Amino acid sequence: MTGGLTGGGVAPARLPRFLRSTTFRLFVPVVLFQLVATGGVLTFVWIAGQQSVRDEQRALVQELRDDLLDTYQDGGSAALQANIERRLRSEGRRAPVLLLADREGRSLVGNLSALPPPDPEAGGQFETVLYRSDSAQPLNMALSETRLADGTILLAGIEIGRDLKLQHSFEQALFAALFLALPLAMLVAVLTSRLVGQRVHDMAQTAHRVGSGAFDARVTLDGSGDAFDELAGEINAMLARIETLVGELRVVAEGLAHDLRSPVTRLRAVLEQAALEARDPAAEAAMQRALTEADTLTRILTTALQIGRAEAGIGRERFEQTEAGDFLGDLAALYEPYAEDAGFVLRAEAPAGLTVLLHRELMSQALGNLVDNAVKYAEGGSTIALFARRREGQVVLGVRDDGPGIPEARREAALQRFGRLDPSRAVAGSGLGLALVEAVAKLHGGRVELAETPGGGLEVRLGIPA
């Protein structure tokens, strides 16, 4: 056998996203419950209505039969025949179905020409279709057959054609009600799903805002006291605790960074003075290396402070509408000499008229870090591009190079704070460049994506809401 099934079977087709959603899984049982409940009620009404009509028919036939039997017992067969004739004369076509037949079934008096065929399963009362002597059309009848003491047979009953028509109309009305119940059930299910979905969406939006650094965001309470309100209250209590802890951590981190920057600054001043006074070339070179490390430490502390502030949501008040082409052009002009010294051509790509709301200073720092990374790590490449473009309700800013890129399995590690993909640390760096980029993206309500370019290089994108 050729070809293939792997794993012993065919993988099931993946359902569309809507069919896998919680909204759909809530919608279906609500619709089914509504239909089953409505169908159950309508079925009960139908059965009860049928039974009520049959009981009424039986009662009328029984009453007519008993009245005729009373006449027979009081006056015999002659009185019974006279009663039947009187009813037929006085009531005409509205008269009940009546027949008195002899032992052989021949008609003696009545509005039926003969007895219906015998039915062993009919019992005392039965329904059949017969012709009245005064009608050219067959009629539905409910009848009772009684053999009298003298051997004659009494047949008494009523026409039930109107009852059957009414019953048929009633059945059609029930089916129409069941048919109308489907859109009503769907409407109830949609409203229920939307209500539940809206409450969950509000919570998700709050979680998104908190994840973007707005730690003061809270889920709105509607005061109903239901399960959703209780859940929202617990979430708000948790968010308040998180806000307190993050605030305390930020204070500690910022205080520690400030406290560390002061001794590092003093250390650098001492090293500069020592380097000026050094007469031994080896000692002077050592002092310069120490100064370089002090500068690196200062940059790390500064970047860590910027990350902490961005993750805490500080700086949103400084957002401004910015023309992307001018912004990237200015940034490219600033970094162009640095890129050219490393053998790269740096250019800016942005459509005309594209504007975006951003923190210019932090976004400049983030994109500058990406350019710096491209210069350091895009070995063998020759071009670096700062770009901006529209994408499905977003503006994407980023940097693209034609270097070796980053393997997909290692891209997540590249975004981690202090993450380094060069274990030998041959290239100087703190491992905070992409972490700052991600923090800036979150401050703008977006996220960072690392993707491979068609030519095999790396494209770092900051997708932020338009």
Side-chain angles (χ1 to χ4, degrees), residues 160-240:
I160 59 173
R162 290 184 179 180
D163 291 342
L164 292 178
K165 289 181 180 179
L166 181 61
Q167 183 177 339
H168 181 65
S169 299
F170 184 62
E171 290 174 355
Q172 288 182 326
L174 290 181
F175 279 115
L178 183 60
F179 180 76
L180 291 175
L182 177 60
L184 292 177
M186 295 180 66
L187 177 62
V188 171
V190 168
L191 293 177
T192 302
S193 300
R194 285 179 62 88
L195 178 62
V196 174
Q198 185 60 47
R199 296 296 299 273
V200 175
H201 178 72
D202 291 343
M203 295 180 186
Q205 288 295 104
T206 301
H208 176 74
R209 291 174 59 197
V210 172
S212 300
F215 293 103
D216 59 341
R218 297 292 182 269
V219 181
T220 303
L221 303 177
D222 61 9
S224 63
D226 60 7
F228 281 107
D229 226 33
E230 182 180 359
L231 176 60
E234 293 299 324
I235 291 176
N236 287 342
M238 177 184 67
L239 294 178

Side-chain angles (χ1 to χ4, degrees), residues 24-150:
F24 182 76
R25 293 201 297 269
L26 176 64
F27 173 86
V28 171
V30 170
V31 170
L32 292 179
F33 175 78
Q34 292 283 337
L35 290 179
V36 169
T38 304
V41 171
L42 294 179
T43 301
F44 172 78
V45 171
W46 178 65
I47 294 174
Q50 276 196 325
Q51 188 62 43
S52 176
V53 171
R54 289 182 182 275
D55 289 344
E56 184 178 359
Q57 292 171 355
R58 290 177 183 275
L60 291 174
V61 172
Q62 184 69 30
E63 182 181 357
L64 176 62
R65 171 183 171 276
D66 291 345
D67 182 63
L68 294 173
L69 289 179
D70 288 342
T71 301
Y72 175 77
Q73 291 175 357
D74 292 340
S77 180
L80 177 59
Q81 291 186 44
N83 188 346
I84 292 175
E85 291 175 347
R86 184 176 65 254
R87 284 177 179 269
L88 294 178
R89 284 195 305 270
S90 63
E91 299 183 29
R93 295 182 63 84
R94 294 180 297 175
V97 180
L98 298 172
L99 176 65
L100 182 62
D102 61 15
R103 295 174 182 272
E104 285 73 27
R106 294 186 296 270
S107 174
L108 299 176
V109 64
N111 52 8
L112 291 178
S113 59
L115 290 172
D119 185 357
E121 299 180 359
Q125 290 194 18
F126 60 94
E127 294 180 8
T128 187
V129 179
L130 294 173
Y131 285 88
R132 284 174 49 144
S133 58
D134 57 355
S135 174
Q137 300 293 331
L139 303 174
N140 294 92
M141 303 175 183
L143 302 172
S144 172
E145 183 177 323
T146 306
R147 185 171 289 275
L148 303 179
D150 60 0

